[in-house]
Amino acid sequence: MTTTEHLQAGPAPSAPPPAAPPVIQVSDLRMAYGGKDVLHGVDLEIHRGEIFALLGPNGAGKTTTVEILEGFRQRSGGQVRVLGTDPARGDDAWRGRIGLVLQSWRDHRRWQVAELLTHFASYYPHPRDPAELLALVGLTEQAGQQVDRLSGGQRRRLDVALAVVGRPELLFLDEPTTGFDPEARRDFHDLVERLARDEGVTILLTTHDLAEAERLADRIAMLVNGRIRACGTPPELARRAAAQAEVRWTAPDGTARRERTEDPSRLVWELHRDTGGPIADLEVRRPTLEDTYLHMVHRDDTTDAGAADGTAGGTADGELRAA
């Protein structure tokens, strides 16, 4: 290469920056109580700034999984890293980077709202301003009110304020809207989205509420009988569900028809080709997240045996990868 060619070539392109490590990384997580297996080799990766929902029926293993990630329960086996640390060895500095919103607790009932939040803030080196945080969660008008006089929705917003006052990088929400009325639920969902989108907080939400998971989560993992059956975005889960789409129409003779198919577009094309004109009362019902969830929950024992490894790896029936 001549000098002129070298000057024209310019500098070599720089390598792309390395990808940030997952906030939560779980491999082959197992848990047993008294010889009974509760978790069967769970794999998960959750990334920074993500709202991740762990969805499953009661008894699926959600709370056990989260307690292990929080460092409150020792696992039977597998590898777990949360913010780069094994939770079983997490120290006070590590715990200070995590916020918890539990299902329920009744401490500090006699404290005033602002007083309690200011007290919690004193435990952290660089806390959020309590007054600004009360405004963020919509409790400014309740600042001087006793905690036990708050409504259920107001108390839940206070729980979030207490959980994030120390500026956590990771927030755990365990069944956070149980018992909420629709308005309180909507306000809480708005708050969670602001924390993730505007504050960059990574959020792990455990719930058995399909609508809540679909409303909030960037990705959803379905935990059933201690195994992750599927993991992906809500549209991915619906699109790749084992449940088939249903096409309904009225035949030329006036009879109502319906057919289940994995390729509704092709069926509609074939109907149009065969009739040579518009298809009366045509309706296509595609699989929903609910279809996916119900399919995973109600799969028979034979299918369960075929997924004995319990991971979120792909299988013949359309399970998705958790990573």
Side-chain angles (χ1 to χ4, degrees):
M1 177 182 292
T2 66
T3 302
T4 302
E5 290 172 333
H6 177 74
L7 293 173
Q8 290 175 342
S14 59
V23 173
I24 294 176
Q25 190 165 24
V26 177
S27 176
D28 193 29
L29 174 60
R30 288 171 278 114
M31 187 68 199
Y33 296 110
K36 180 181 179 181
D37 291 333
V38 177
L39 297 176
H40 306 268
V42 170
D43 291 351
L44 282 176
E45 282 191 2
I46 302 175
H47 304 284
R48 191 166 302 278
E50 186 173 30
I51 301 178
F52 190 96
L54 191 58
L55 177 68
N58 291 331
K62 301 188 304 296
T63 298
T64 296
T65 300
V66 170
E67 288 178 348
I68 291 171
L69 299 179
E70 294 167 343
F72 293 140
R73 189 175 297 277
Q74 293 291 328
R75 61 191 181 270
S76 300
Q79 302 298 315
V80 180
R81 306 287 287 183
V82 176
L83 295 172
T85 297
D86 185 334
R89 299 181 178 85
D91 56 14
D92 289 343
W94 175 81
R95 293 188 182 280
R97 301 167 65 191
I98 294 173
L100 308 178
V101 179
L102 306 177
Q103 290 189 37
S104 64
W105 55 286
R106 295 181 173 85
D107 295 340
H108 313 297
R109 295 169 61 87
R110 300 296 180 183
W111 289 66
Q112 293 182 353
V113 170
E115 180 185 26
L116 179 60
L117 190 56
T118 300
H119 176 69
F120 267 59
S122 68
Y123 290 112
Y124 297 95
H126 305 289
R128 298 173 185 266
D129 178 79
E132 293 180 359
L133 191 50
L134 286 178
L136 174 67
V137 300
L139 289 177
T140 298
E141 295 183 2
Q142 288 75 34
Q145 191 169 323
Q146 274 188 199
V147 171
D148 63 358
R149 296 181 181 274
L150 297 176
S151 69
Q154 290 169 343
R155 179 55 199 262
R156 217 58 180 141
R157 292 199 293 271
L158 176 59
D159 289 344
V160 173
L162 295 172
V164 303
V165 68
R167 302 182 186 273
E169 300 170 45
L170 172 63
L171 179 62
F172 289 98
L173 301 176
D174 189 11
E175 304 282 0
T177 58
T178 300
F180 273 29
D181 61 51
E183 183 177 1
R185 182 184 297 263
R186 183 181 63 249
D187 291 344
F188 186 83
H189 289 171
D190 290 343
L191 172 60
V192 169
E193 288 186 322
R194 286 201 301 273
L195 289 170
R197 310 309 176 213
D198 301 338
E199 306 283 339
V201 179
T202 304
I203 297 174
L204 174 57
L205 164 74
T206 61
T207 183
H208 58 265
D209 187 323
L210 279 165
E212 182 164 77
E214 191 167 19
R215 163 75 166 80
L216 288 176
D218 299 304
R219 288 191 300 143
I220 298 171
M222 294 184 176
L223 185 66
V224 182
N225 294 328
R227 295 183 172 93
I228 292 183
R229 297 302 189 189
C231 184
T233 67
E236 285 174 345
L237 292 178
R239 185 169 60 248
R240 297 182 61 178
Q244 295 178 323
E246 183 178 73
V247 179
R248 301 181 182 186
W249 74 97
T250 299
D253 61 4
T255 59
R257 302 288 300 276
R258 68 173 63 185
E259 184 173 331
R260 292 188 177 275
T261 175
E262 295 180 356
D263 191 351
S265 298
R266 181 176 182 83
L267 176 57
V268 170
W269 178 82
E270 290 174 347
L271 290 172
H272 186 272
R273 179 198 61 192
D274 294 342
T275 60
I279 305 168
D281 303 319
L282 177 66
E283 179 183 354
V284 178
R285 183 184 181 277
R286 295 184 180 276
T288 64
L289 181 61
E290 182 177 7
D291 294 325
T292 312
Y293 178 71
L294 293 175
H295 170 72
M296 297 300 172
V297 170
H298 297 299
R299 288 201 306 180
D300 59 28
D301 293 338
T302 300
T303 306
D304 284 346
D309 65 348
T311 70
T315 68
D317 63 0
E319 293 178 5
L320 307 180
R321 300 195 65 83

